[in-house]
Structure formats: C-alpha cells, structure tokens
Amino acid sequence: MSKKEELIYDGKVKSVFATENPQEVIIKFRDDMTAGDGEKKEVMDNKGSLNAVISSILFKVLEDNGIATQFIELIKPDEILSKRLEMIPIEVIVRNIATGSLVRKYPIEDGIKLNPPIIQMDFKNDKFHDPMLNDSIIKSLGIANQEEIDILKYRAFKINDILKEFFDKIGIILVDFKIEFGKDNKGNIILGDEISPDSCRLWDKETLEMLDKELFREGKYDKVMTAYGEVYKRIIGE
Ligand code: 5GP
C-alpha cells in the first residue's frame, strides 16, 4: 500500500502528495468548492469522496476504451493513487450544447446543439482568468508543439464520444466538460486531473435539471450535494 509522503501541490480543491514511488502520487479530493477563479469558496461535506469515486469510475471507463489516464487505484474514498505527470497548463474544453461562457462571448443561442462539438483550449492561469488560446499562441508561449496540440484535440473528441454515450445510458446529457492532460516520464501524453460534476455540465435527460457545479456558481448551495449524489448513484448503478 502506497504511503502518503510530502505535499507537492496544493490546488483549490485537490492536494497532491508524493509517495515512496517517484512515478506515483496520491491525489486527495478535498471538500472545498470554489468558483470565479477561487473568489467564491465554501466547504461542501462529502464532495471530495463523491468526486473521487465518480472520477475513478469515469477514468476506468475511458481506460477500458483505450484512453491512457493517470488513474491507478482508489485507495480511500477521497484519495486516488495516480501516475505522476507533469501537467500541461491547458484546460481543454469540449462543448456539445451551447451555454456558459460561450453564449456570454458569442452570438449563439443558449441551449442549442453544437454539431460538430466545439473544442476550446484555455490557458490555466487564474491571474489572467484562464484566457482562450489558439494553436499559434500555444506554440509561441512554448506550452506545446503542433503534434502535441493535435493529440490533445483528437483525444478530447474521443473522450467526448465515449463519455457522451456513457452518460446517455444513465439518463444524463453531457453538455460540456473540461479536461487536463500531462506527460509521464517517457513524454507520453496522458489524461490527468479529474472528470466530475465539478468539471462538467450534466443535465438530466428528462427534466433538463442541472446536476453539476453550475448550481454552486448560481448560489444554489442547498442543491449542490443532492445533485452530485444523484450523479454518483446513477454512475455506480444504484
Ligand atoms: P465555461 O467556459 O462555459 O464556463 O465552462 C465550460 C465547461 O468547462 C464547464 O463544464 C465547466 O465546468 C468547465 N470548466 C471551465 N473552466 C473550468 C475551471 O477552471 N475549473 C473547472 N473545474 N471546470 C472548468
């Protein structure tokens, strides 16, 4: 059993610890919840473990469909043993339905289906409010080369296809989501971070009710954990 050693990274909602194996880390999902680049902050009991379990199951689904992920094992309800990656500071966002920042920035009607889905890359940087990137900016800033950018895009679309189908079977529409990738010690690009109701917009297929962090962004604090619990129950097949 891997032992937690020193803290190597403390994010807004997750903490990463070294282990005795230099190629592995333990990611602890905390109960903290933030929005607006960390400006809004609350503690939501049990959120860490719900998200850790949901993310573990989704990463396992992706692995079973040929996507390399950093997931190794859920070792505690809120802790995942993971491959150590050097993270690429890009938030890769895929959108199947127009909403959120897309409809605030572009003349697109809220709620319309996007066919083909939109892919967007944002620079992970709170100080600059995660500005949108394009291939040219990514290359000029030295974040990734063209071959790596192409891998990120291709991989993100494949992940979208797999997850859209997975969620559809449990009565959920995958509206949009954000993923992050990193490189292992051999330079392979691997899916990292998490996929959970914190990083996706998920709507109930029948009622179109929100089942994700948007409730928190809108200040509906009393509804957040019920929604996350519903996603959890459907994912584990309860
Ligand atoms: P939007 O750009 O519309 O605010 O977000 C698009 C999708 O990406 C949503 O599913 C949202 O949850 C996710 N997303 C975008 N930026 C972030 C971020 O900084 N953190 C998290 N957890 N998710 C994000």
Side-chain angles (χ1 to χ4, degrees):
M1 171 89 156
S2 294
K3 267 208 334 273
K4 225 160 52 187
E5 294 186 344
E6 84 275 8
L7 178 71
I8 47 180
Y9 174 77
D10 216 14
K12 291 198 286 282
V13 301
K14 297 190 291 297
S15 304
V16 182
F17 295 87
T19 67
E20 67 276 15
N21 182 340
Q23 301 314 326
E24 294 178 359
V25 291
I26 290 172
I27 304 178
K28 183 179 174 66
F29 287 60
R30 306 195 312 268
D31 286 344
D32 298 318
M33 190 154 203
T34 70
D37 301 322
E39 277 164 25
K40 192 187 274 195
K41 192 168 191 267
E42 297 287 334
V43 173
M44 293 283 167
D45 286 344
N46 210 28
K47 191 199 76 144
S49 49
L50 284 180
N51 273 1
V53 175
I54 291 170
S55 195
S56 297
I57 294 171
L58 295 177
F59 273 33
K60 180 83 185 18
V61 167
L62 292 170
E63 284 278 353
D64 292 346
N65 283 277
I67 302 287
T69 80
Q70 78 175 147
F71 176 78
I72 299 174
E73 192 188 356
L74 184 71
I75 52 173
K76 282 190 189 169
D78 59 349
E79 288 185 2
I80 300 178
L81 180 67
S82 303
K83 287 172 207 146
R84 188 172 190 154
L85 302 180
E86 181 158 348
M87 296 305 289
I88 301 168
I90 297 179
E91 299 189 338
V92 184
I93 294 168
V94 182
R95 300 175 187 272
N96 295 305
I97 293 181
T99 192
S101 69
L102 187 77
V103 300
R104 289 195 296 273
K105 288 184 194 156
Y106 298 89
I108 303 179
E109 199 184 320
D110 203 331
I112 64 158
K113 264 198 190 133
L114 299 165
N115 193 12
I118 288 179
I119 192 159
Q120 175 188 333
M121 307 231 191
D122 288 356
F123 190 23
K124 199 174 156 68
N125 188 312
D126 280 346
K127 192 173 156 213
F128 287 84
H129 306 293
D130 300 344
M132 201 191 294
L133 299 165
N134 60 29
D135 292 14
S136 164
I137 302 174
I138 293 173
K139 286 182 280 185
S140 283
L141 295 184
I143 301 170
N145 61 35
Q146 190 63 54
E147 191 192 344
E148 292 166 339
I149 296 169
D150 292 344
I151 293 174
L152 297 183
K153 288 182 187 169
Y154 176 79
R155 207 74 66 80
F157 278 131
K158 182 139 190 249
I159 289 168
N160 185 43
D161 287 343
I162 298 163
L163 292 185
K164 222 168 43 176
E165 194 185 330
F166 175 83
F167 277 114
D168 184 67
K169 285 191 184 137
I170 54 171
I172 291 175
I173 302 171
L174 178 60
V175 174
D176 56 27
F177 61 95
K178 181 265 305 176
I179 45 181
E180 296 178 29
F181 294 87
K183 286 185 192 166
D184 68 9
N185 62 335
K186 295 188 190 85
N188 299 311
I189 294 182
I190 312 265
L191 178 69
D193 193 52
E194 71 180 298
I195 303 180
S196 73
D198 265 14
S199 59
C200 305
R201 284 197 181 91
L202 304 168
W203 295 350
D204 181 274
K205 214 162 116 180
E206 298 298 320
T207 64
L208 300 184
E209 242 179 310
M210 288 190 268
L211 299 171
D212 60 74
K213 187 174 150 181
E214 197 64 22
L215 292 163
F216 179 78
R217 296 190 191 101
E218 292 187 356
K220 296 174 182 153
Y221 301 130
D222 54 326
K223 296 213 159 69
V224 177
M225 290 326 294
T226 312
Y228 281 44
E230 181 62 28
V231 174
Y232 171 86
K233 275 194 272 180
R234 292 198 205 177
I235 282 185
I236 65 166
E238 252 180 27

